Amino acid sequence: MSRSLKKKSFVAIIMGSKSDWKILKQTAIILKKLNIPFFTQIVSAHRTPFRMIEFAKKAKSKNISVIIAGAGGSAHLPGMTAAITDLPVIGVPIETKSLKGLDSLLSIVQMPYGIPVGTVAIGETGAKNAALYAASIMSLKDKDIAKRLSLWRSKQTQSVKLKPKN
Ligand code: RP5
């Protein structure tokens, strides 16, 4: 297929609740910086289970390459989504009031054998790394994204000073 006829691939950022957006907007900021197309959607595994099934079933046909799923508490959205689609799913554990997100982390990371979810750190750090991880996956097929990611990383390296003062 020629370059111009290639269909644009997307990252889908899904979240269990509107309240997760304050963390997942960090994912969106990094994806924007890397010029990677994405869209966002609230998809709750327990409040809107049929929306989740519909989303996951259609994800491939909508040209989604990577799904970033943020959820807190008994955070089954990433695992349930990964159970329906074989697209890569990155789970972002959202910090919770009662258990500081340890509940979310363990729910997401402890997937039984057979259905993997790539799990990142709790909260904003994880949300940002999820975007970089998605960029790495997309870089395998998209040289332009690979170049932008490589540039982003070399800028990060250059920004690290040798000495703690001045
Ligand atoms: C999960 O429950 C969501 O991912 C969210 O992190 C958590 C709390 O949701 P809200 O009560 O704030 O809507 O499903």
Side-chain angles (χ1 to χ4, degrees), residues 4-109:
S4 57
L5 288 176
K6 259 191 206 165
K7 273 193 184 171
K8 207 160 62 162
S9 293
F10 291 86
V11 170
I13 305 174
I14 59 171
M15 62 212 82
S17 167
K18 191 181 171 187
S19 65
D20 298 329
W21 176 241
K22 60 182 183 298
I23 298 300
L24 288 165
K25 69 180 175 204
Q26 299 299 330
T27 307
I29 289 169
I30 303 264
L31 290 175
K32 266 186 205 158
K33 278 187 189 158
L34 292 170
N35 198 15
I36 295 175
F38 67 91
F39 68 87
T40 56
Q41 198 171 312
I42 297 167
V43 183
S44 168
H46 53 274
R47 292 178 183 145
T48 65
F50 299 108
R51 191 190 296 177
M52 178 198 65
I53 293 167
E54 198 64 9
F55 164 82
K57 273 163 70 177
K58 290 188 178 161
K60 252 189 193 171
S61 66
K62 289 188 172 168
N63 245 24
I64 292 167
S65 293
V66 182
I67 298 169
I68 295 173
S74 174
H76 32 243
L77 177 66
M80 286 301 295
T81 302
I84 300 166
T85 177
D86 53 17
L87 286 171
V89 176
I90 303 170
V92 182
I94 302 294
E95 197 169 328
T96 53
K97 274 187 198 147
S98 44
L99 295 172
K100 307 279 176 225
L102 189 59
D103 43 355
S104 324
L105 173 68
L106 296 178
S107 298
I108 296 173
V109 80

